[in-house]
Each structure stands twice: as structure tokens, then as C-alpha cells.
Amino acid sequence: MRNRSIKFKLALLTFLMLLIAAAVSFLAVRYASGVVLRSTIRNYLIGMVEENTNKIAFITKEAKPEISIGNMYIEFEGGYLEIDDDFLDKINDVSAALYDDDGTMIYGENTLEKYMEKTPFAASKVWSIDVAGEVFDVYDRQLNLSTPTDSKLWIRGIVSRTNSTSQLNEITRLSLFVIPILILLLIFIMYFIIDRLLSPLGNIEKTAEQISEGYDLKRRIEVGKNNDEVSRLAKIFNGMLDRLERAFNTERQFTSDASHELRTPTSVIMTQAEYTLEKERSVDEYIDAMKVIDKQSKRMNLLLGDMLDYTRMDQKSERYEMEELDISRLVTETSDHMTLVGEKNIHLTVDVEPWLKINGNEVLLTRMIQNLISNAYRYGVQDGNIKVALKRVRDDESDAPSNLVELSIVDDGIGISKEDQEKIFDRFYQSDASRSIQGTGLGLSMVKKIVELHHGEIQVESEEKKGSTFRVRLPLCN
């Protein structure tokens, strides 16, 4: 049973549940049918006896009755008992007979007469009698007739319960024939429905097997328009495949980028080492060689650190805690620290609107601000300027404050061409104008990732030889 498929287990469970439901329903129907049939026959018995009470009358001889053809006239206490010709002595297995008070049958039919001789009457009450294992229902009804001696007359009706039992048995036989057919039909329908419902699971198994055999992470499960649990599972599985594919591509890209970017500093270090070791050198030559190696080693270390940080953010392998923080304070403090760089005698000014708060990670946002300001220093001109501003964005039409804050960093450096503006956020991209400037090519790409993690957007406006403006918009706390 453990090795059976879910489809088989569900079908078996459905069969058992239907079987139990059918058995309970059968017993309930049989019980209810028995009650209804017995009640119907008893009511019919009472109704027939009550109807017959209106078909008997007492007529004195002095009244000289007009003889009705078909009626029965029986002498009784100096007069006649007139019994209508439609007196029902037996119909549908219900028999009725007329008795005097001492139990002597006057007219009618009673198949149990020899078993019920002198049996006392029970006025207007249904009672039962067992005769040779067969149960009969009996109903006695006293007649209100005016006779010379006020004699009591009774009508006794009798019906066998065998009639209801035979009908109940017929219902049972019909149920035992119909119910199994219905169960089989329902099982077939349920199996078809289960097969349709579980088809995404089969697709998941098939897709997983194909991926395992061919390492093809581009395969996806076809999900229909349903929104049930299985369809949602298939969507989650597709989402997992998307993340796996992105992770695999990121790892492959990381390996490719690392090998490409590390090739130059590694080659420089190897070449410098081989050149220095070719023959004995002076102390100054050894020092110069070590400086080259040290510079390239630091570049490699910086590059590897940036690549690892970028990869972590790209894969979201680390959970960055988000909290409410004062972005105004963060921009001011970071800008003050960056004024210590003092490259190229560039002048840094800060204009920050106070008490602006966002939901973010302080470490990542600090790195974003540092990267943007460092980039402005790196590509700035001698005795140039950098302007850092933070303000709340206002609606263009109503001038009402929006739910966004904008950080802008403006420099008057070498600028960026229109062709390069579309590529500067790509990993390891460096324009021709910046090849001679030291950098890993990951700074702006990392800035964009940080902005995206904070549900913001970044834009650049630049003109060659006139400078650049980077604008970052982030949502304020509600």
C-alpha cells in the first residue's frame, strides 16, 4: 500500500467512503421504508374499517324497508341489518367482518377466525396477533346502531404484515441492484476527476525527471486556469525553477566574470614576478615590483569582495533586516565622512531636508550613498563640485508632498555619453572614457541592486564634459 500512487490511494479512499455512505443510506432507506409502509398499511386498515361503518344500518320490520337489489339483509333482534352491496369484506389483503358483542361473525370474511374465536374487541385501537410466525394487525370499531336491545356490533379489520415485508424486500432487492451500479459509476467519475486534478503532479514529476536527466532548468510545468492546491503547487514549483535557473545563471556568470576580470591582475602579478626573478635585481627594483604586485593584489581583493556582495544581493541569499531609519541623518553623516576623501580638490556641498524616514537597511543604504559619491569623485574634474541633496518629492500639478523621497548627486565631471548611459548599471561595464580610472565596474550595478531591494528607482542624466546627475527615489514610511 505504501508503494501505491496517490491516485490509487485517493480512488480507494473514495470507494471506501462511497461504500460506507451507500451502506448507511441503504439501512436508513430500508428502515424509513419499513416505517412508512407499515404506517401506510395501518392507515389503510383503519380507513377501510371506518368506511365500512357507514355501510351498515338497522331496520325494524314495522318500517317495511324497500328492498335494494344487491344489498344484504340479515335478520337481527326482530328487525334487519341492511348491509350495502359495496361493503368491503376484503380488498388489497385487508379483510373486514361484522361481529356481535359475543364475538360471533355475522357477515364478512376473516381468514383467522379459528385463531381469534371469542377474542375480545379493543375499541378503535390497532393491535397485533402472531399466528404461526406471521404477524397481523387488527383494528376493531364499534357501530353506533339503535337496536331494540341496544346490542353492540363490531367491525373487525385484519391485515397481514407480510404485505409490507414483501414490498420492503422488493425495495431491498432493487437497492442492492442499483446501488452497486451507482457506486461503480461514481468511482469511474471520481477516478477521472482525480486524474484531472492530479495531472499537474504528474507534470511536476515528469519535469523534475527531465531536469534531472538533462540539466535543463528552462523547462516549466504547464498550469491551467484552475487555482486549486495542486495548481498552486505547480506554480510554486515553477517559481522554484525560476530561482534555481537564476541562481545557476548567476553562478555561471560569476565564474565567467571572475575569470575574465581576474585575468588581467593575475597576469600582471605573474609577469612581474617572472620578470623580477629572471636575474638578481637591486633593492629599488624589488621594491617597485612588490608595489606593482601589491597594487594588483588589492585590486583583486576589492574586486572579489564586490563580486561576492553583488552576488549575495542578486541571489537574495542573505536576509537584510529592514527597519525605520532617518534617511536625512544617514545622508548627512555619510556625506560628511566622504568630504574627507578630498580628491582633486573637489568641493562637496550637502542640502538635506530633515526628518525624512524610510524603511530600509542602514548598511546597504550607506554603501549606496558612498558608491554614488565615490563615483562622482572618481569621474570629477580638478577643483570641481559635487552637490548632494535630499528632499521630499512634490506633485508636479498640485505641489502637494508625495510619498517619495529623492536623493540627487550632481557633479561637473567628465560626464557620460548617451550610448553609455544605458549600460553603466551593467556588471563590469566601463566606458572608454573611464578605462584609465581605477574601479571594479560593479559600483553602479550594486547601487541599482540596493535601490531595487528598497523598492525604489534610479535614473541618470548626463552630458559629456559637463557632468552627471544621479537621482534615487525611495518610498517614505507610511
Side-chain angles (χ1 to χ4, degrees):
M1 186 67 180
R2 292 181 179 178
N3 298 326
R4 296 288 187 178
S5 65
I6 295 178
K7 189 188 303 183
F8 175 82
K9 292 178 180 178
L10 287 176
L12 179 61
L13 179 62
T14 303
F15 171 75
L16 293 176
M17 294 299 293
L18 286 175
L19 191 62
I20 294 173
V24 172
S25 300
F26 170 74
L27 294 176
V29 169
R30 180 178 171 82
Y31 174 78
S33 299
V35 172
V36 171
L37 283 172
R38 283 193 294 272
S39 177
T40 300
I41 292 176
R42 286 170 59 126
N43 290 336
Y44 188 79
L45 169 66
I46 294 172
M48 179 179 173
V49 172
E50 292 291 342
E51 184 180 356
N52 282 335
T53 59
N54 299 320
K55 298 176 181 179
I56 299 175
F58 177 77
I59 303 175
T60 61
K61 291 183 178 180
E62 291 78 8
K64 296 181 180 181
E66 296 181 2
I67 304 301
S68 298
I69 299 176
N71 287 355
M72 178 66 68
Y73 292 89
I74 300 175
E75 291 188 4
F76 185 77
E77 293 186 0
Y80 299 97
L81 291 175
E82 183 184 30
I83 303 175
D84 289 350
D85 59 351
D86 57 351
F87 182 92
L88 305 176
D89 54 355
K90 187 170 186 180
I91 185 171
N92 291 340
D93 296 325
V94 178
S95 59
L98 177 64
Y99 290 87
D100 60 16
D101 195 39
D102 61 0
T104 302
M105 180 187 294
I106 299 175
Y107 179 79
E109 179 180 348
N110 183 354
T111 56
L112 302 179
E113 180 61 26
K114 64 179 180 179
Y115 300 103
M116 302 182 64
E117 187 177 1
K118 305 303 180 181
T119 302
F121 297 98
S124 300
K125 180 180 178 181
V126 177
W127 52 283
S128 61
I129 182 173
D130 190 326
V131 178
E134 185 176 357
V135 180
F136 294 83
D137 286 331
V138 181
Y139 181 70
D140 299 325
R141 176 70 160 81
Q142 184 180 353
L143 298 178
N144 296 318
L145 298 179
S146 297
T147 62
T149 61
D150 291 330
S151 298
K152 295 181 178 179
L153 294 174
W154 298 82
I155 294 179
R156 170 169 284 173
I158 301 173
V159 65
S160 173
R161 291 185 181 178
T162 304
N163 188 28
S164 63
T165 303
S166 62
Q167 294 184 45
L168 189 60
N169 291 336
E170 184 65 25
I171 293 174
T172 301
R173 284 192 295 271
L174 182 62
S175 298
L176 291 178
F177 174 76
V178 172
I179 290 177
I181 295 177
L182 289 177
I183 290 178
L184 291 176
L185 181 61
L186 289 174
I187 284 292
F188 175 78
I189 295 174
M190 288 301 299
Y191 189 85
F192 175 76
I193 294 174
I194 291 171
D195 182 68
R196 291 292 301 272
L197 290 176
L198 296 183
S199 59
L201 289 180
N203 293 335
I204 292 176
E205 179 184 6
K206 182 178 179 181
T207 303
E209 185 177 357
Q210 291 173 343
I211 291 173
S212 177
E213 292 177 353
Y215 300 97
D216 185 4
L217 291 174
K218 295 186 179 297
R219 292 184 177 273
R220 295 295 182 270
I221 301 169
E222 294 183 4
V223 181
K225 297 181 180 180
N226 295 334
N227 194 32
D228 53 22
E229 291 81 358
V230 179
S231 297
R232 290 198 293 271
L233 175 62
K235 292 176 182 177
I236 292 173
F237 189 81
N238 283 340
M240 181 188 69
L241 290 178
D242 290 336
R243 291 191 294 274
L244 285 175
E245 184 180 10
R246 286 196 301 268
F248 179 77
N249 291 336
T250 301
E251 180 182 355
R252 184 169 55 187
Q253 186 66 38
F254 178 85
T255 304
S256 175
D257 292 341
S259 62
H260 176 75
E261 294 297 324
L262 294 175
R263 184 180 295 115
T264 299
T266 303
S267 299
V268 172
I269 291 174
M270 292 176 61
T271 302
Q272 187 65 43
E274 291 173 357
Y275 173 76
T276 305
L277 294 174
E278 283 181 356
K279 61 180 180 178
E280 189 174 347
R281 305 288 181 179
S282 65
V283 175
D284 291 337
E285 288 177 320
Y286 281 123
I287 291 174
D288 291 339
M290 292 304 296
K291 286 181 179 179
V292 173
I293 292 174
D294 178 65
K295 181 180 179 180
Q296 295 300 324
S297 298
K298 289 179 179 178
R299 172 175 166 76
M300 290 174 61
N301 184 62
L302 178 63
L303 179 62
L304 287 173
D306 285 349
M307 290 178 66
L308 289 172
D309 290 340
Y310 182 89
T311 302
R312 292 191 187 101
M313 284 189 292
D314 193 37
Q315 294 183 349
K316 298 180 182 179
S317 58
E318 291 188 4
R319 299 187 64 180
Y320 297 101
E321 293 185 4
M322 300 293 177
E323 59 183 356
E324 184 178 308
L325 56 88
D326 189 344
I327 188 67
S328 300
R329 174 193 60 80
L330 189 63
V331 171
T332 301
E333 291 180 356
T334 306
S335 300
D336 290 342
H337 295 160
M338 294 301 294
T339 57
L340 302 177
V341 174
E343 292 183 5
K344 304 175 187 177
N345 198 32
I346 294 176
H347 181 60
L348 177 65
T349 59
V350 182
D351 180 16
V352 174
E353 183 178 336
W355 312 115
L356 296 176
K357 295 185 178 182
I358 68 170
N359 190 45
N361 182 275
E362 185 168 347
V363 174
L364 292 180
L365 290 172
T366 300
R367 185 162 193 172
M368 177 195 73
I369 300 168
Q370 288 176 343
N371 282 1
L372 288 173
I373 296 177
S374 296
N375 196 67
Y377 270 117
R378 187 176 297 119
Y379 299 104
V381 295
Q382 188 69 30
D383 301 320
N385 295 281
I386 299 174
K387 296 179 181 179
V388 178
L390 181 74
K391 63 180 180 179
R392 187 168 187 171
V393 180
R394 292 187 172 273
D395 187 86
D396 294 335
E397 297 180 359
S398 63
D399 198 38
S402 68
N403 196 37
L404 295 173
V405 62
E406 181 179 273
L407 170 66
S408 61
I409 291 137
V410 183
D411 66 70
D412 53 4
I414 62 176
I416 308 169
S417 67
K418 290 185 178 180
E419 295 78 9
D420 292 332
Q421 288 179 30
E422 299 178 357
K423 305 174 184 177
I424 58 173
F425 294 109
D426 295 342
R427 289 195 299 181
F428 301 110
Y429 180 77
Q430 288 179 302
S431 64
D432 294 336
S434 62
R435 293 288 180 181
S436 59
I437 300 175
Q438 183 178 359
T440 63
L442 285 172
L444 290 178
S445 182
M446 195 174 300
V447 166
K448 186 178 180 182
K449 278 293 176 185
I450 294 173
V451 172
E452 290 174 348
L453 283 174
H454 288 80
H455 309 290
E457 59 180 16
I458 183 170
Q459 296 176 344
V460 59
E461 300 171 6
S462 184
E463 188 175 346
E464 289 185 278
K465 299 181 181 180
K466 289 187 178 182
S468 303
T469 300
F470 286 86
R471 302 183 190 278
V472 176
R473 290 192 172 187
L474 300 170
L476 287 165
C477 289
N478 296 326

